[in-house]
Amino acid sequence: MATPSARASCPLLLLPSPPPACPSMLATKRTQRRRRRSLSCRAAVRFDRRDMLASLTGVAAGGLGAHPGLAAAEDASVSCPRGETVTDKLLACQEAGQKPCPPTSPAAAVVVDFTPPTGPMCVRQPAHLADAETVEKYRQALAAMRALPDSDPCSFASQAAIHQAYCDGHYRYGGPAAASKDAPFDVHFSWIFAPWHRMYIYFYERILGGLIGDDAFALPYWNWDAPAEMATPAIFKDAGSPLYDANRNPAHLGAYVNLDILNARDTVIPFDPQAVQNNNQVVQNNLSALYVQMMRNKKAQDFLGDKFCAEYPGTVSSGTSGSLESMAHTSVHIWAGDLESSTVGNDGQEHTGADMGFLSTAGRDPVFYSHHANVDRMWHLWATKLGRSNFDDPEWLDTSFVFYDEKPQLVRVRVRDVLDAAALRYSYDEREPLRWMDARPTPLLPKGTAAAATTRRSLLRGAAPPPAPAFPLTLTPGQSVEMPSVPRPPRAQKTAAAAGGGTQPDTVLVFDGIEFEPGRGGKFDVVINVPPEQAAAAGPRPGETVVVPLVLPLDEVLADIGVGDEDGAVNVVIVPRTQGIKMISPPRIEIRER
């Protein structure tokens, strides 16, 4: 019987994990190298983990078009059923009192608990549409921030150092489940990513407003999700402005941003501000990538990342990235960073891609804060306009960090304090239509064409299925790997799970382990029910290795290619794009209840 076909997952992009100095990915001995790591499908980043944010891309399946939507799977070998609560009392910056650690250790200072603001509503405007007064206020505030001595916690140097300290191997976690009191810690690659960055941007904005005496000051956001602003905003390009940063990729300053950069890094199309409805391939790919990021990842663990777990004996598993972190967010970091510039990280090694392209230096570019304001807006839209639900785990809600406010006073703020933008007295000026909501990727092959192609191939083979590959399996570019008849759980199993109430169960494709070298990028595409000889069209339109688990939501993909809830199997085709990737075991399809 012919099986409907299409690209099953998004192009799977494996990005290198952080070098030894980055907390949650410190190198271990060979006996501990098979670590589970976060990564998620889609334009991700990670040029060496700290050289950018980790992640995966993924090709789309079926209606996915060619865009990722994978979320890293949970490592069943790690006993962390509920995640851990992180607090400032369990964190320590190794070089306390010295950059990039805070000027004063929270343990040696008075820390007050966060109180919701009561001032006027601050309206964040799109950077390319921001009025002249807002832009001028930002220039004045940032100039004042840059003029402060580096030792001042409100200075631009201190603000940039916050991101550096939390990502370049400076913080350690001493929670009860940590294997030691010196466990590496990172605010990326887990459910901590979104709330921590919201806190960071909130206090940065408050400090700017305080420097110019304007409690209604609002940070302009770079809405790269709208075609009219899919390029570096003009306010950041004036070399004489405090908003300027010299370490940006010069080839990209006047080009469309590529939110699928790890799929087509060489695609550079000059940006045309007059052609705001331009439907060139980059714009189409960007909108489809955003559709996958926002619309397909409906559950909190897929969108925000999975729970934070400390280092356990033999593993390093701080969590898994969600699509909010691993897709457009990461692509923009890579796209904006200057590949010709470099800096020495906390590991003593030289890293390229400064400033935005290297986690340690990203906060030195003012565009970083407007970029993350839009990442925050994506979370806000996901939870409000799309009606999705955040985690309700107390371990997440009670996680807390300490930041300096505009006074400057050390403030302890919890995740539960920052879930509502309105309560924080800021909102987003939404003037652009959300075109990505209707940019659902199309199947690699039309339903009828795909089914016919599969049927013809079966007839030529005499209906004999191809042999199943042996695992572990090393992938080779140019050699697609077909995994025929991957069984799907019985429909009754999903029906029973749904009958229990609560969150609707979903069907997922699970890869328990994908091994690759942390210093090299890696990518492969996952295609569903497409003959291997046609699967190659998928995609939009040194020694140590790590192992990452991946989970790909399949329900919408299966619907796009005409596969219903009936029992049956699907063919999975892996299309390698780079060297150095090994699949530890074959993928499986299962029903996930949460």
Side-chain angles (χ1 to χ4, degrees):
M1 174 179 177
T3 52
S5 112
R7 271 181 313 165
S9 84
C10 24
L12 240 221
L13 218 171
L14 300 181
L15 293 158
S17 53
C22 201
S24 47
M25 307 234 359
L26 293 183
T28 58
K29 296 185 183 232
R30 181 60 183 171
T31 56
Q32 296 179 319
R33 278 179 192 158
R34 289 197 173 178
R35 331 175 247 194
R36 304 289 183 183
R37 182 69 221 138
S38 110
L39 285 192
S40 175
C41 178
R42 202 329 112 312
V45 176
R46 254 218 283 222
F47 274 2
D48 196 6
R49 174 29 183 82
R50 294 169 320 145
D51 289 343
M52 240 358 304
L53 313 183
S55 168
L56 306 168
T57 6
V59 281
L64 235 161
H67 301 284
L70 299 178
E74 177 179 331
D75 178 3
S77 68
V78 175
S79 178
C80 184
R82 293 194 59 82
E84 298 175 39
T85 298
V86 176
T87 72
D88 56 287
K89 296 179 181 179
L90 299 176
L91 292 174
C93 201
Q94 293 180 302
E95 305 87 9
Q98 303 177 34
K99 285 285 187 297
C101 293
T104 303
S105 169
V110 175
V111 181
V112 301
D113 289 329
F114 178 79
T115 352
T118 57
M121 183 67 74
C122 304
V123 182
R124 296 176 180 175
Q125 302 177 40
H128 74 302
L129 296 176
D131 57 66
E133 181 182 8
T134 295
V135 174
E136 183 55 31
K137 283 182 178 180
Y138 190 19
R139 287 178 179 144
Q140 292 176 6
L142 193 54
M145 181 180 274
R146 287 185 181 277
L148 294 173
D150 290 357
S151 58
D152 191 315
C154 292
S155 69
F156 188 70
S158 291
Q159 291 299 299
I162 294 172
H163 198 263
Q164 178 183 0
Y166 275 102
C167 174
D168 199 12
H170 296 276
Y171 270 97
R172 292 293 182 269
Y173 173 71
S180 72
K181 295 305 176 183
D182 192 35
F185 177 77
D186 196 315
V187 295
H188 299 88
F189 318 113
S190 76
W191 61 6
I192 291 174
F193 170 78
W196 184 90
H197 282 83
R198 174 169 285 182
M199 297 170 187
Y200 182 27
I201 299 303
Y202 170 81
F203 285 107
Y204 172 79
E205 183 177 64
R206 297 277 297 187
I207 291 171
L208 288 169
L211 289 170
I212 58 173
D214 184 358
D215 59 358
F217 172 79
L219 182 70
Y221 68 92
W222 176 12
N223 62 329
W224 29 253
D225 58 299
E229 200 167 353
M230 285 182 179
T232 305
I235 66 173
F236 296 100
K237 295 163 72 172
D238 178 1
S241 168
L243 306 184
Y244 181 77
D245 183 70
N247 290 329
R248 295 177 187 150
N249 190 326
H252 293 166
L253 286 177
Y256 282 94
V257 62
N258 189 348
L259 302 183
D260 189 36
I261 195 168
L262 292 181
N263 278 337
R265 292 186 59 185
D266 296 327
T267 302
V268 177
I269 297 178
F271 181 69
D272 181 0
Q274 304 304 317
V276 294
Q277 299 304 317
N278 192 340
N279 281 321
N280 61 55
Q281 192 59 54
V282 172
V283 170
Q284 292 178 34
N285 287 348
N286 285 347
L287 294 174
S288 292
L290 288 161
Y291 176 93
V292 173
Q293 171 184 306
M294 301 296 294
M295 306 298 288
R296 286 208 163 142
N297 290 278
K298 301 175 182 179
K299 295 189 175 180
Q301 65 265 46
D302 296 332
F303 184 72
L304 297 174
D306 214 337
K307 57 187 171 288
F308 169 82
C309 296
E311 181 182 9
Y312 285 79
T315 68
V316 176
S317 181
S318 67
T320 60
S321 299
S323 64
L324 177 66
E325 176 183 0
S326 67
M327 296 180 66
H329 155 259
T330 297
S331 280
V332 172
H333 271 285
I334 294 178
W335 183 87
D338 185 2
L339 297 179
E340 298 301 318
S341 67
S342 63
T343 188
V344 176
N346 189 40
D347 60 351
Q349 302 298 311
E350 192 168 356
H351 299 269
T352 60
D355 283 335
M356 276 281 282
F358 178 45
L359 288 178
S360 180
T361 61
R364 300 175 190 175
D365 188 342
V367 82
F368 167 91
Y369 304 92
S370 291
H371 164 49
H372 267 277
N374 200 45
V375 174
D376 180 79
R377 171 174 160 265
M378 294 289 102
W379 179 20
H380 174 68
L381 290 172
W382 179 84
T384 56
K385 187 171 184 66
L386 301 184
R388 312 299 191 209
S389 298
N390 288 310
F391 294 103
D392 58 6
D393 305 59
E395 292 80 7
W396 184 66
L397 295 170
D398 292 331
T399 285
S400 65
F401 296 94
V402 168
F403 291 86
Y404 278 97
D405 66 9
E406 66 276 14
K407 295 180 182 178
Q409 166 70 56
L410 281 170
V411 179
R412 179 178 296 108
V413 56
R414 301 169 301 170
V415 169
R416 67 172 69 248
D417 296 326
V418 299
L419 298 181
D420 181 6
L424 295 174
R425 305 304 295 157
Y426 74 85
S427 64
Y428 289 99
D429 177 356
E430 296 288 354
R431 302 189 215 174
E432 300 280 0
L434 303 177
R435 288 179 54 188
W436 45 263
M437 289 186 67
D438 299 315
R440 184 167 177 160
T442 55
L444 179 62
L445 298 175
K447 292 181 183 178
T449 303
T454 306
T455 301
R456 285 195 301 271
R457 190 159 147 276
S458 297
L459 291 174
L460 289 173
R461 288 181 172 175
F471 289 86
L473 173 67
T474 299
L475 303 183
T476 302
Q479 298 180 17
S480 296
V481 179
E482 184 173 10
M483 301 175 193
S485 302
V486 177
R488 299 170 59 210
R491 178 171 54 182
Q493 181 179 337
K494 189 170 185 179
T495 302
T503 304
Q504 188 68 19
D506 55 2
T507 306
V508 293
L509 180 66
V510 179
F511 294 83
D512 284 317
I514 298 171
E515 183 177 1
F516 64 101
E517 294 182 21
R520 298 172 57 187
K523 176 188 166 191
F524 61 84
D525 293 339
V526 181
V527 181
I528 298 293
N529 282 356
V530 171
E533 59 273 15
Q534 294 175 281
R541 299 234 198 261
E544 290 202 18
T545 62
V546 294
V547 176
V548 298
L550 300 172
V551 172
L552 171 65
L554 277 184
D555 284 316
E556 188 174 280
V557 169
L558 295 175
D560 282 354
I561 63 176
V563 176
D565 286 336
E566 69 277 4
D567 302 344
V570 296
N571 294 335
V572 175
V573 178
I574 304 299
V575 185
R577 303 300 191 187
T578 62
Q579 300 279 1
I581 300 175
K582 180 189 293 184
M583 298 190 114
I584 305 304
S585 57
R588 68 181 187 279
I589 297 175
E590 61 182 39
I591 302 299
R592 180 180 59 177
E593 295 188 40
R594 182 188 174 189

